[in-house]
Amino acid sequence: MDGSALLTVRLGTFTPSVVLEVARRSGRLAAAGVEVEEQAVASSPAQFEALENGDIDLAVTSPDNVLLYAGFDENPRGHRLPLTITAALDRGLGLSLWTRPGIELGEARTLGVDVPVSGFALAARALLSRHGVDPDALEAVSLGSTPRRREALAAGECDVTILGSGNELRAHEDGCRRAASVAELGDYLGAVTCRLSTAAMPAADAVAAVLVETGTEIADGRHVDLVLDAAKRLLG
């Protein structure tokens, strides 16, 4: 398709998406008639505010966040949002609980979270409980998106947090220690795409479908060179 005819979809993500970059460079996005403007969001409240205000068209987020904002008035927006999940993307991409350098999990006193009611915070609390640590005994520190939490953990601004999407690899390089994995919780749906359900959005739905297709190809062992190059460039 002629590049001038591509429809632009604004995608809000916490961590730069390797799958999106592979989809772009492999030509899958263009073949679907779309291009993506990826926008980093600082936190889940910021992400859903951007969705509600029309600043982004599609979000990659935790399914628990969608349930919170769509199902309960007691969320950071203060009211329910008309949301729909358009695709299930992954099983967590390495999502795991990490401690800062030099301490064991049982020594943790502060839990770094996006916000206390976010989906990842719920997963972190479940893993803490599973490993004998009372999550209510830890002070929850709101630090925002996953890359920011990884930086804070390495700097000692929190004792434990939950990381994934390649950020856990950087944490390992920083000397942090993995304490638990969401795989221990059974089948775990890590990330989904969602959008407002108030109007048809075929371009946004096309992007979601491309992300699923590209992710499946990567899982099948395709695009290895593209994946490695994208991960190195986007995640450092």
Side-chain angles (χ1 to χ4, degrees):
M1 178 176 290
D2 183 353
S4 63
L6 298 180
L7 298 175
T8 298
V9 173
R10 298 163 299 170
L11 178 68
T13 61
F14 299 120
T15 300
S17 173
V18 171
V19 175
L20 174 64
E21 181 67 7
V22 172
R24 178 182 290 117
R25 292 171 60 181
S26 66
R28 272 202 167 273
L29 286 175
V34 292
E35 179 53 288
V36 172
E37 177 185 303
E38 189 173 14
Q39 299 183 13
V41 291
S43 64
S44 53
Q47 186 178 55
F48 284 88
E49 179 181 4
L51 266 179
E52 184 177 21
N53 292 342
D55 296 326
I56 59 174
D57 307 305
L58 188 68
V60 174
T61 195
S62 163
D64 295 340
N65 287 333
V66 183
L67 294 177
L68 173 65
Y69 284 89
F72 300 91
D73 291 323
E74 297 78 13
N75 64 60
R77 299 300 298 149
H79 53 269
R80 301 184 191 192
L81 303 182
L83 300 170
T84 185
I85 291 176
T86 56
L89 298 181
D90 62 61
R91 291 291 187 180
L93 290 180
L95 193 64
S96 43
L97 200 64
W98 287 75
T99 59
R100 65 174 172 84
I103 70 166
E104 300 293 334
L105 184 59
E107 301 174 274
R109 297 294 179 265
T110 56
L111 170 63
V113 296
D114 173 6
V115 291
V117 293
S118 69
F120 283 175
L122 296 176
R125 290 174 60 87
L127 288 173
L128 287 166
S129 296
R130 184 178 179 86
H131 285 263
V133 178
D134 179 4
D136 291 329
L138 274 61
E139 177 188 359
V141 182
S142 296
L143 295 169
S145 65
T146 307
R148 168 66 186 121
R149 294 199 310 278
R150 193 270 304 169
E151 294 172 354
L153 187 69
E157 297 174 25
C158 65
D159 294 333
V160 61
T161 192
I162 194 162
L163 302 171
S165 299
N167 292 280
E168 76 283 3
L169 303 178
R170 293 289 302 277
H172 177 73
E173 293 178 353
D174 292 336
C176 302
R177 299 180 61 182
R178 191 175 82 160
S181 168
V182 293
E184 301 172 30
L185 303 177
D187 289 337
Y188 182 85
L189 180 56
V192 299
T193 54
C194 79
R195 60 169 175 79
L196 295 178
S197 57
T198 49
M201 300 182 68
D205 293 345
V207 169
V210 167
L211 290 175
V212 171
E213 293 162 2
T214 305
T216 299
E217 291 176 352
I218 291 172
D220 288 340
R222 298 177 60 183
H223 310 302
V224 173
D225 290 340
L226 282 179
V227 170
L228 292 175
D229 184 67
K232 182 178 180 180
R233 187 174 67 83
L234 296 176
L235 304 176

